[in-house]
Each structure stands twice: as C-alpha cells, then as structure tokens.
Amino acid sequence: MRISARADYAVRAALQLAASRDDAPLKTEAIADAQDIPHKFLEGILNDMRRGGLVLSRRGGNGGYRLARPAESISIADVIRVVDGPLVSVRGVRPPDLSYSGPAQSLLPLWIALRSNVREILEGVSLADVAAAELPADVAALTDVPDAWVNP
C-alpha cells in the first residue's frame, strides 16, 4: 500500500489542528511551517478537507482553520478518503468492481482482505489517538512484530 504525499500532508495538518489547545483557528502558514508542508500544496489540501466537512475555515485577520468535529470523532481513514478517495484500489478501481479469470481468480478475495485490514486499522485510529501518542492496543501491537520495521 502506498500513502501519497497528499494524504500524508493532510493527516499531518489535521493532527496539527487536533493538537491546538485553544479553539482559535490556525493559519495555513502556521500549519505549513510546523509540519514542513509546502504552503501552496497545503492550501489545496485544506480546501478539500473543508469541502469534505473535516475542517472549518474563517477569513480575516483572526481567520484560519480548525477541525469541524472533535478529534476523537475523525479517523485517519476519514482524512485520507477526503483527499485521496478510496483507501484501497487496484489500478484506480475499487476491489468489488474487479474481476479476474483463471489462476488470478483468487486475487479478488486477497484484495478484499487487504482492504478490510486497512479499513480496520485506519478507521479504528482517531486524530486524537495519534495526537496524544496513544494508539489503540491492537494497532500498537502490530508495531511489535519483529519484521514490522524492516524493509524486505
């Protein structure tokens, strides 16, 4: 699975907003600087997140962005879907819309299983979890697998 730069930046920006202790909106520049995200790229991402209902924006001198809902109610999957679309696709097609023949027939259940696991993890982790460095126990346990940190 590949996480795009756009999805990575969106999650990092959302986490910056989640970590903001007061209810004052954060300016795009402040988020970009704090997370080392290109400012112009971030503007487009925040606009997508606004259209997707994840952030609210306010114009003016005291303007900026803030989360539209509590960080506990926004999953990492929510953020990725808003900026990148489906969590798992094959050649841009969602797995249930694929068909294979011959020895490749068993690929479809494999892609469905992959999608199910990705959903379980990303939908089960909220912005609040990550911002507080408190991943759910089942997700944290996956990082304890010896090969998890090794590139094959």
Side-chain angles (χ1 to χ4, degrees), residues 14-80:
L15 289 168
Q16 193 68 39
L17 293 170
S20 178
R21 293 294 173 219
D22 56 14
D23 200 28
L26 293 179
K27 297 199 177 301
T28 307
E29 296 84 8
I31 299 167
D33 290 345
Q35 290 299 319
D36 196 27
I37 299 171
H39 179 263
K40 285 292 184 189
F41 198 31
L42 181 58
E43 284 179 348
I45 290 168
L46 288 169
N47 279 327
D48 285 347
M49 291 172 68
R50 181 184 50 77
R51 283 190 296 274
L54 297 181
V55 299
L56 300 173
S57 64
R58 185 169 62 189
R59 295 181 188 257
N62 293 325
Y65 291 87
R66 62 183 178 85
L67 294 177
R69 305 188 312 259
E72 296 81 12
S73 70
I74 300 174
S75 72
I76 301 301
D78 293 333
V79 178
I80 294 172

